[in-house]
């Protein structure tokens, strides 16, 4: 065991997650940093148990070799989740605390929306958790607040520009954008040269522009109906799903209908997750498209002159946050993009830093949101394209419960007791449902990585059922399949998984294979992904056809695809369990996150502002005024609901899978 790892006092039955978390005294974060050979100049402290690791560390370790890279995905889940976050943490605790390997866990930051809403937090579960739990699930180091501020600054800039352009002539607009200095001379500020270059104007002095050039430069002529940028806040609030702005008398009738999204749905979050450096983030933020001009040209943040300011607001958020697991292994928490309208993975910069810190023979384990058909697919085709990194092993988390559902078992509904079929032995359902696992294995192996199946064991599973899953995984081509009990036993319950992952990494021989090349059309890429789902073809709505035509005309065809579909089935229909085939995948709409760098087709309706239920998790949250510690009432709500604000084993990016089932709260 490493210097910072600690032995857990495991209790049975497993206590509530918050009780486990509060029973362990975290180490000072400087001790975790020292274990990774980070000196005090490599990080900024945020209290005793968190620190921001500075990107400058890459300047010192950039030339060293990487460790092994492991991604954790899952089978198509039930609404209850199958424990990917818990497995990710448990695997790392096994590698670090029991197998004496250098390891870093890389996970996403949770939103406060579900923390106070339905699902609770995202720190893992049982004896496989990130701590301190309350700090992890609440403000952390302020990254989401920075995203909120940057997003809303851009929203304000859009509406303000539309307002001012509507009330001023081209000449007046130009003069106000380029006011004279004390000597009476006008000049362009640095960011304005980006717009001039876009317009093909190579002049450097305002007075040299012709009246036509001045007009083109000054007037963005944004079509209000085309604006896709929304304001955000990190709270679930159903009453902000549709709002009207500009009703004040000073806005002179500039009324526009819009909506709020939850902060983690902002494209700025996706930019943070996919950026590779501060310079790269500056370019991505500036390229974000907020709408079109009335002539159909894309309008960007840099056109509005705000790209630099957005980067300033995000300059600290780009640094990953260092934390620890219950057993003292290091964790990097960074970014939390949705797994449907975005790619559902933690940041590239966190992974790159971690791979250098663990070095050859060490391990970096990261989690991909939702099932492997969504999260792992986007990890490979989007995240790895931009990072240039290649995983040696992909873990697929499976449960007997989910496979019974895919084998024809009764419906599983969050908040309702499980049917008897899920808590008593039924080999027939398990074996029939393994077709879902087999397709996930086949799809993941196609990327050229070794696949290890982690069978997340529940107390109601029988030995025969667990072995049936294990054997089915091996028959489907998995490198190995391991039964795990990390929720109940911490890292000790995932030692066999750690050994299997180590062997899979050591025996990795293939190069990374993408599902599609970037130099084909948007439709060709969509259809390649649809084929991996089992679809026979794709059907596009009239709106989707128009959007594809527009993005093609605007020159965005070379971007990867980020499919937004249900996580409950390979198909578009959540009711089609198992491994459906022969269906036609309907594309309702196609949208783009140009700054982040992907096109996202919408297979269904995606809510980006969750609502609160009748009894939100905030009922269970309070503070012990004598100690200043967060407390939670664990006695009134069943464990599969919101026992506490942070008892869940699921991340914000998977939150909507529960939300979609609870529209009638």
């Amino acid at each position: 065991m490493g210097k910072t790892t600690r032995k857990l006092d495991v209790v049975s039955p497993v206590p509530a997650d918050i009780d486990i978390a509060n029973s362990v005294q975290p180490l000072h974060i400087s001790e975790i940093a020292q274990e990774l050979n980070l000196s005090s100049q490599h990080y900024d402290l945020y209290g005793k148990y968190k620190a921001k690791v500075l990107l400058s560390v890459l300047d010192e370790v950039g030339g060293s070799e990487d460790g092994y890279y492991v991604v954790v995905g899952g089978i198509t889940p039930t609404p209850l989740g199958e424990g990917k976050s818990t497995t990710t943490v448990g695997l790392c605790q096994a590698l670090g605390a029991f197998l004496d390997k250098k390891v870093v866990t890389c996970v996403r930051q949770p939103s406060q929306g579900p923390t106070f809403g339905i699902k609770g937090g995202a720190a893992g579960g049982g004896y496989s958790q990130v701590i301190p739990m309350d700090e992890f699930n609440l403000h952390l180091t302020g990254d989401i607040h920075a995203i909120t501020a940057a997003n809303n600054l851009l929203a304000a800039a859009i509406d303000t520009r539309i307002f001012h352009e509507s009330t001023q002539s081209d000449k007046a607009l130009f003069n106000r954008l380029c006011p004279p200095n004390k000597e009476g001379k006008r000049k362009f500020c640095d960011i304005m040269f980006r717009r001039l270059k876009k317009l093909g104007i190579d002049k450097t002095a305002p007075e040299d522009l012709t009246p036509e050039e001045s007009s083109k430069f000054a007037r963005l002529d944004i079509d209000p109906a085309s604006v896709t940028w929304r304001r955000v806040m990190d709270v679930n609030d159903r009453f902000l799903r549709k709002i009207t702005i500009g009703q004040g008398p000073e806005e002179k009738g500039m009324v526009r209908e819009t909506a709020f999204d939850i902060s983690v749905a902002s494209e700025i979050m996706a930019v943070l997750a996919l950026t590779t450096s501060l310079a790269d983030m500056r370019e991505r933020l500036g390229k974000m498209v907020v709408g079109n001009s009335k002539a159909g040209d894309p309008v960007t943040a840099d056109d509005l002159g705000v790209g630099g300011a957005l980067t300033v607001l995000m300059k600290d958020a780009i640094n990953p946050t260092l934390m620890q697991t219950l057993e003292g292994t290091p964790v990097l928490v960074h970014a939390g993009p949705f797994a449907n309208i975005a790619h559902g993975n933690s940041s590239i910069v966190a992974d790159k830093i971690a791979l250098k810190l663990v070095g050859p023979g060490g391990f970096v384990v990261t989690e991909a949101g939702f099932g492997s058909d969504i999260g792992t697919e986007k990890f490979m085709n989007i995240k790895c394209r931009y990072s240039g990194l290649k995983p040696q092993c992909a873990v697929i988390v499976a449960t007997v419960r989910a496979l019974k559902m895919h084998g024809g078992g009764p419906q599983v509904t969050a908040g309702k007791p499980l049917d008897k079929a899920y808590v008593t032995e039924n080999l027939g359902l398990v074996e029939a449902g393994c077709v879902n696992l087999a397709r996930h294995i086949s799809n993941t192996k196609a990327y050229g990585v070794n696949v290890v199946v982690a069978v997340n064991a529940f107390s109601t599973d029988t030995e025969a059922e667990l072995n049936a899953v294990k054997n089915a995984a091996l028959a489907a081509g998995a490198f190995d399949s391991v039964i795990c009990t990390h929720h109940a036993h911490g890292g000790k319950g995932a030692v066999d998984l750690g050994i299997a992952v180590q062997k899979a990494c050591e025996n990795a021989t293939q190069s990374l294979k993408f599902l599609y090349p970037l130099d084909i059309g948007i439709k060709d890429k969509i259809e390649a992904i649809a084929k991996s789902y089992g679809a026979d073809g794709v059907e596009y709505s009239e709106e989707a056809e128009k959007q594809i035509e527009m993005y093609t005309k605007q020159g965005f065809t070379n971007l990867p695809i980020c499919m937004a579909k249900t996580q409950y089935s390979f198909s578009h229909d959540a009711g089609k369990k198992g491994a459906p085939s022969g269906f036609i995948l309907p594309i309702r709409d196609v949208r783009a996150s140009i700054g982040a760098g992907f096109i996202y087709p919408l297979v269904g309706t995606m809510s980006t502002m969750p609502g609160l239920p009748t009894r939100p998790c905030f009922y269970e949250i309070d503070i012990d005024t004598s100690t200043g510690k967060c407390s939670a009432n664990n006695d009134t709500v069943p464990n599969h609901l919101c026992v506490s604000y942070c008892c869940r084993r699921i991340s914000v990016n998977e939150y909507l899978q529960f939300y979609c089932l609870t529209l009638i709260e």
Side-chain angles (χ1 to χ4, degrees):
M1 298 177 76
K3 295 178 182 177
T4 62
T5 56
R6 64 174 73 85
K7 184 177 180 181
L8 292 175
D9 294 322
V10 173
V11 176
S12 182
V14 180
D17 291 355
I18 192 169
D19 293 335
I20 295 173
N22 286 341
S23 71
V24 175
Q25 176 61 44
L27 296 167
H28 195 282
I29 200 63
S30 61
E31 296 183 58
I32 302 296
Q34 187 175 5
E35 190 75 4
L36 290 171
N37 296 320
L38 289 170
S39 66
S40 58
Q41 69 192 38
H42 293 140
Y43 59 87
D44 291 333
L45 290 172
Y46 279 67
K48 296 178 181 178
Y49 310 122
K50 305 186 298 291
K52 279 282 195 180
V53 179
L54 306 179
L55 294 194
S56 57
V57 71
L58 284 173
D59 296 333
E60 295 186 29
V61 300
S64 59
E65 291 185 49
D66 289 347
Y68 292 123
Y69 195 27
V70 181
V71 59
V72 178
I75 61 171
T76 306
T78 68
L80 306 179
E82 309 319 310
K84 286 199 316 299
S85 299
T86 308
T87 301
T88 301
V89 176
L91 168 59
C92 291
Q93 291 181 171
L95 288 166
F98 290 88
L99 299 176
D100 202 27
K101 302 295 180 183
K102 265 202 163 184
V103 62
V104 174
T105 312
C106 289
V107 294
R108 292 163 287 170
Q109 178 184 354
S111 163
Q112 289 180 172
T115 296
F116 292 112
I118 298 173
K119 270 305 224 176
Y127 287 100
S128 296
Q129 295 186 50
V130 179
I131 56 172
M133 180 186 275
D134 55 342
E135 296 184 26
F136 177 86
N137 283 314
L138 297 177
H139 306 285
L140 197 63
T141 47
D143 293 357
I144 293 179
H145 300 319
I147 288 167
T148 303
N151 183 101
N152 293 343
L153 175 62
L154 179 52
I158 295 165
D159 289 303
T160 299
R161 187 60 172 263
I162 294 172
F163 171 77
H164 287 305
E165 288 191 14
S166 72
T167 59
Q168 299 179 49
S169 66
D170 290 353
K171 183 177 180 180
L173 196 62
F174 183 81
N175 288 340
R176 286 187 171 92
L177 287 171
C178 302
N181 58 20
K182 292 180 180 179
E183 289 76 35
K185 291 187 177 182
R186 301 180 187 275
K187 62 178 291 187
F188 293 119
C189 61
D190 289 345
I191 198 170
M192 290 179 173
F193 288 104
R194 293 175 179 252
R195 175 153 178 80
L196 290 168
K197 183 179 179 181
K198 177 180 176 179
L199 295 173
I201 301 172
D202 60 2
K203 299 172 182 177
T204 58
E207 58 267 22
D208 293 340
L209 268 63
T210 66
E212 182 183 1
E213 289 172 335
S214 297
S215 177
K216 285 175 64 178
F217 167 79
R219 190 166 295 279
L220 301 182
D221 202 26
I222 298 170
D223 178 2
S226 75
V227 174
T228 54
W229 198 263
R230 296 175 170 181
R231 289 162 174 81
V232 300
M233 63 186 303
D234 198 33
V235 174
N236 292 1
D237 191 343
R238 64 175 62 252
F239 288 96
L240 295 178
R241 290 171 181 166
K242 187 175 182 179
I243 62 169
T244 303
I245 59 172
Q247 296 191 56
E250 296 84 0
E251 281 60 64
K252 302 179 182 179
M254 298 295 295
V255 176
R256 185 169 71 85
E257 192 175 273
T258 182
F260 268 77
D261 291 335
I262 196 164
S263 295
V264 291
S266 171
E267 183 178 348
I268 296 176
M269 175 63 88
V271 166
L272 177 65
L274 289 170
T275 195
T276 55
S277 66
L278 185 61
D280 179 59
M281 183 171 73
R282 169 63 186 88
E283 294 303 311
R284 288 176 181 271
L285 291 172
K287 290 192 299 185
M288 293 188 303
V289 173
V290 300
N292 298 322
S293 70
K294 291 174 182 175
D297 299 318
V299 178
T300 68
D302 272 346
D303 287 330
L304 287 157
V306 74
L310 300 181
T311 310
V312 170
L313 286 171
M314 294 292 294
K315 69 180 180 64
D316 294 322
I318 198 174
N319 300 312
T321 300
L322 181 64
M323 296 188 74
Q324 62 191 286
T325 67
L326 285 170
E327 297 191 66
T329 60
V331 180
L332 285 179
V333 186
H334 203 211
F338 271 15
N340 41 40
I341 64 168
H343 64 294
N345 284 263
S346 59
S347 78
I348 286 174
V349 292
D351 290 359
K352 284 194 166 189
I353 290 172
L355 285 165
K356 297 299 183 185
L357 293 179
V358 299
F363 293 83
V364 172
V365 183
T366 189
E367 178 197 349
F370 293 153
S372 296
D373 56 320
I374 299 178
T376 302
E377 183 270 309
K378 294 174 183 180
F379 171 85
M380 301 292 184
N381 290 305
I382 300 177
K383 184 175 180 179
C384 288
R385 278 191 202 270
Y386 285 122
S387 70
L389 300 173
K390 177 197 179 299
Q392 288 75 39
C393 174
V395 175
I396 296 177
V397 178
T399 63
V400 167
R401 176 180 66 198
L403 293 173
K404 284 181 176 179
M405 179 188 71
H406 289 295
Q411 183 175 348
V412 176
T413 303
K416 291 185 179 180
L418 287 170
D419 187 272
K420 184 180 178 182
Y422 295 105
V423 294
T424 57
E425 185 174 288
N426 193 320
L427 281 175
L429 286 180
V430 175
E431 290 168 351
C434 282
V435 294
N436 182 270
L437 172 60
R439 182 177 288 177
H440 282 292
I441 292 171
S442 175
N443 283 357
T444 306
K445 282 184 65 180
Y447 295 110
V449 298
N450 287 330
V451 175
V452 173
V453 173
V455 187
N456 191 13
F458 287 64
S459 60
T460 53
D461 300 338
T462 68
E463 185 177 354
E465 289 174 330
L466 293 169
N467 286 331
V469 179
K470 182 176 178 179
N471 294 335
L474 295 172
F479 181 88
D480 204 349
S481 181
V482 181
I483 298 168
C484 309
T485 60
H486 44 273
H487 182 266
H489 302 114
K492 184 178 180 181
V495 168
D496 289 344
L497 176 61
I499 293 170
V501 165
Q502 180 181 348
K503 289 180 180 177
C505 289
E506 292 170 347
N507 286 277
T509 57
Q510 298 185 58
S511 57
L512 181 60
K513 302 171 184 176
F514 296 120
L515 189 57
Y516 52 82
L518 291 181
D519 59 359
I520 60 176
I522 293 173
K523 282 188 175 182
D524 294 328
K525 296 172 196 172
I526 292 172
E527 286 156 20
I529 298 172
K531 186 178 179 181
S532 75
Y533 296 156
D536 271 357
V538 179
E539 182 178 71
Y540 301 90
S541 70
E542 183 179 349
E543 181 62 27
E545 293 277 11
K546 288 180 181 177
Q547 292 296 103
I548 291 172
E549 182 181 357
M550 181 185 71
Y551 293 136
T552 301
K553 181 181 177 182
Q554 293 176 341
F556 300 138
T557 58
N558 63 336
L559 296 175
I561 299 297
C562 183
M563 296 288 277
K565 77 168 186 73
T566 178
Q567 63 276 19
Y568 293 124
S569 173
F570 275 108
S571 78
H572 57 285
D573 182 353
K576 292 184 182 295
K577 304 302 182 185
S581 60
F583 57 91
I584 302 298
L585 191 73
I587 303 298
R588 181 179 63 83
D589 196 1
V590 178
R591 299 176 188 171
S593 291
I594 303 303
F598 53 76
I599 302 288
Y600 62 100
L602 299 176
V603 181
T605 301
M606 298 293 160
S607 174
T608 49
M609 173 51 84
L612 291 171
T614 303
R615 182 178 177 131
C617 287
F618 59 62
Y619 272 91
E620 314 307 322
I621 305 170
D622 214 319
I623 194 164
D624 184 333
T625 56
S626 63
T627 64
K629 290 185 177 181
C630 294
S631 60
N633 174 14
N634 297 321
D635 301 324
T636 58
V637 183
N639 189 54
H640 61 274
L641 293 179
C642 50
V643 170
S644 71
Y645 55 91
C646 37
C647 74
R648 301 305 304 157
R649 291 189 248 168
I650 201 161
S651 73
V652 61
N653 306 294
E654 295 165 291
Y655 164 71
L656 285 183
Q657 68 176 308
F658 185 93
Y659 165 72
C660 290
L661 291 179
T662 51
L663 290 175
I664 307 173
E665 288 100 317

